[in-house]
Amino acid sequence: MKSFLTMTFIVTLVLGLAFHTPIRAGELTPREGWVVIKTSFLYNELVDRLIASVKAEKMLVVTQASASGGAKAQGIVIPGNRVIGVYRNDYARRMLAASIAAGIEAPIRYYVTEDPDGTATLSYRTPSAVFAPYMDEGGDSLMALAQDLDIVFDTIARRAVE
């Protein structure tokens, strides 16, 4: 009986450690409709640079979500990640005039992730990719908006990683 209890304790301990050990999924890789920019900046530094770049382009940061921030509040350490929603009302009005359904996509988001080497990656789905499912409904007006926003989002990203 004593050996059974010892074995049960060891198995429980090993499983407990296995589930509390941070697991890194690796780095984001390019995919269709995405821009993925590996940088030499640290995670918090890239977040700050991105927010400043959004403001410099006269856009608004309207949402932020961070699983790593939430985990930290619970005493758990995971690689840094933050989703940053970017919006401006005049673009939103153009979008809604072209397609009410496309409104679910606002705000369009950037994603900052901490890489295994401590640097950070900036990624986002291009506005053209985000709005692609609505093009049949939104037509030329939505296409023009998406192309305008592609330029704005590219400018923000380039400024953030310079």
Side-chain angles (χ1 to χ4, degrees):
M1 181 69 164
K2 186 175 181 181
S3 115
F4 174 75
L5 291 175
T6 302
M7 184 58 102
T8 301
F9 173 77
I10 291 171
V11 168
T12 303
L13 180 63
V14 168
L15 288 175
L17 289 173
F19 288 112
H20 285 80
T21 301
I23 298 173
R24 291 186 108 45
E27 298 178 18
L28 281 174
T29 56
R31 57 197 70 217
E32 187 175 341
W34 283 59
V35 174
V36 178
I37 307 167
K38 174 101 172 94
T39 77
S40 60
F41 297 110
L42 298 176
Y43 167 75
N44 286 328
E45 188 178 12
L46 184 57
V47 168
D48 292 343
R49 292 178 66 85
L50 177 61
I51 291 170
S53 185
V54 168
K55 291 176 182 176
E57 199 56 32
K58 308 285 190 259
M59 299 290 283
L60 300 171
V61 171
V62 294
T63 60
Q64 293 189 54
S66 173
S68 58
K72 182 178 180 182
Q74 297 175 331
I76 300 167
V77 176
I78 64 173
N81 70 75
R82 184 170 304 199
V83 177
I84 298 174
V86 176
Y87 172 92
R88 198 167 84 194
N89 189 263
D90 57 320
Y91 289 121
R93 290 191 314 267
R94 285 177 60 194
M95 173 195 58
L96 292 172
S99 169
I100 294 295
I104 191 73
E105 304 297 347
I108 298 175
R109 298 168 307 276
Y110 286 98
Y111 191 30
V112 179
T113 51
E114 185 178 17
D115 298 325
D117 67 358
T119 61
T121 295
L122 175 63
S123 58
Y124 65 98
R125 289 181 60 217
T126 64
S128 289
V130 169
F131 292 130
Y134 311 96
M135 288 301 171
D136 287 344
E137 176 184 336
D140 292 341
S141 296
L142 190 58
M143 177 64 75
L145 170 65
Q147 291 170 342
D148 289 349
L149 285 171
D150 283 347
I151 294 167
V152 171
F153 273 68
D154 177 67
T155 301
I156 291 169
R158 281 188 291 111
R159 182 181 288 121
V161 302
E162 291 179 336

